[in-house]
Amino acid sequence: MPRIEVSLEHGPTRRRYGRPGAIATLAGLLVVGVAVLVYQAEITPSVAVDTVVALANPPASLTSPTVQTRDAGSRTVAAEPVAVARVPGPAPGPAPGVMSGNSPFGATSAPAQDSRDVAAAVNAWAQAWSQRDMAAYFAAYGQDFKGQATSRAAWQAERQDRITGKASISVTLSDLKIAVQGQRAEVRLTQSYQAGALRTVGPKQLTLARVGGRWLIQQELSGR
């Protein structure tokens, strides 16, 4: 059987232990390690001793430590890296108060979407007026809207005569300022109206209410 020598040297300095018991314990662990390596890895006892000593005394740097083994002729036969376990930190989550683009509610807040819906309703009303599309024009108003007339029917008859009696009409809106609060919206704008030789430009205020998912005009004031 080959002779087994246990060396406690590592690097240029020799490890020293203050009590004989510690030396005996370390020697026992080394012998067990050598026996396991000889039995499982089928290597020579001297190679097993060097491997166990290298594992018991890792290098100072833990970035890429290696274990070197030598055979009976002191020839380097392997240099394998020792894996260093790294525990991953927690995955970064979304910043507080920031809405994700994949949110089921969408990336647009409700007030902003309501403002766009109100603007679309007002522009559709102006377009229907310009095209003298009376069905779409009346549909832009709430059912109880009657303007300055005594009834809804009287208001519709008056508007029908004034709008369809013009050869052409152009209604342009600008400077829309929209404020939405719940189911109501206030719109301030500048209206440019032209019919034949008549052309007027002035402020207008509209009050709308959401009815059945649509924004309908409830009040219309000129010069405000």
Side-chain angles (χ1 to χ4, degrees):
M1 178 177 179
R3 181 181 177 183
I4 300 175
E5 295 181 355
V6 178
S7 174
L8 301 182
E9 290 185 350
H10 178 67
T13 60
R14 180 185 301 273
R15 294 187 178 274
R16 298 181 180 181
Y17 300 86
R19 293 183 298 175
I23 298 177
T25 300
L26 179 59
L29 293 174
L30 293 176
V31 171
V32 172
V34 169
V36 171
L37 290 174
V38 170
Y39 176 76
Q40 294 185 351
E42 297 183 356
I43 61 177
T44 62
S46 60
V47 172
V49 170
D50 289 343
T51 303
V52 172
V53 172
L55 289 173
N57 298 274
S61 174
L62 295 180
T63 304
S64 57
T66 59
V67 176
Q68 293 186 350
T69 60
R70 293 190 297 273
D71 59 11
S74 298
R75 179 172 56 85
T76 301
V77 296
E80 298 295 337
V82 177
V84 178
R86 292 180 172 86
V87 180
V98 176
M99 186 177 293
S100 171
N102 296 325
S103 170
F105 302 102
T108 303
S109 63
Q113 183 62 53
D114 287 344
S115 297
R116 282 194 284 270
D117 292 342
V118 170
V122 172
N123 285 315
W125 160 74
Q127 183 178 6
W129 188 358
S130 298
Q131 295 175 350
R132 295 179 298 164
D133 184 347
M134 300 311 299
Y137 177 80
F138 290 139
Y141 291 85
Q143 290 298 318
D144 56 349
F145 184 89
K146 60 182 181 178
Q148 302 298 321
T150 56
S151 65
R152 170 82 179 198
W155 172 76
Q156 285 193 202
E158 179 186 350
R159 297 302 294 166
Q160 178 87 25
D161 290 341
R162 295 191 62 176
I163 294 175
T164 58
K166 302 290 190 300
S168 65
I169 295 176
S170 174
V171 180
T172 305
L173 308 180
S174 60
D175 301 328
L176 273 72
K177 295 179 177 60
I178 302 173
V180 179
Q181 185 174 8
Q183 303 301 310
R184 295 182 65 84
E186 297 289 338
V187 182
R188 293 179 182 272
L189 55 89
T190 300
Q191 174 182 292
S192 177
Y193 173 86
Q194 184 172 359
L198 175 64
R199 184 175 186 274
T200 62
V201 177
K204 176 169 282 192
Q205 179 177 336
L206 300 174
T207 300
L208 294 89
R210 180 157 45 194
V211 180
R214 295 183 59 214
W215 288 97
L216 303 178
I217 300 172
Q218 302 294 320
Q219 187 178 42
E220 180 181 357
L221 300 173
S222 299
R224 299 289 182 92

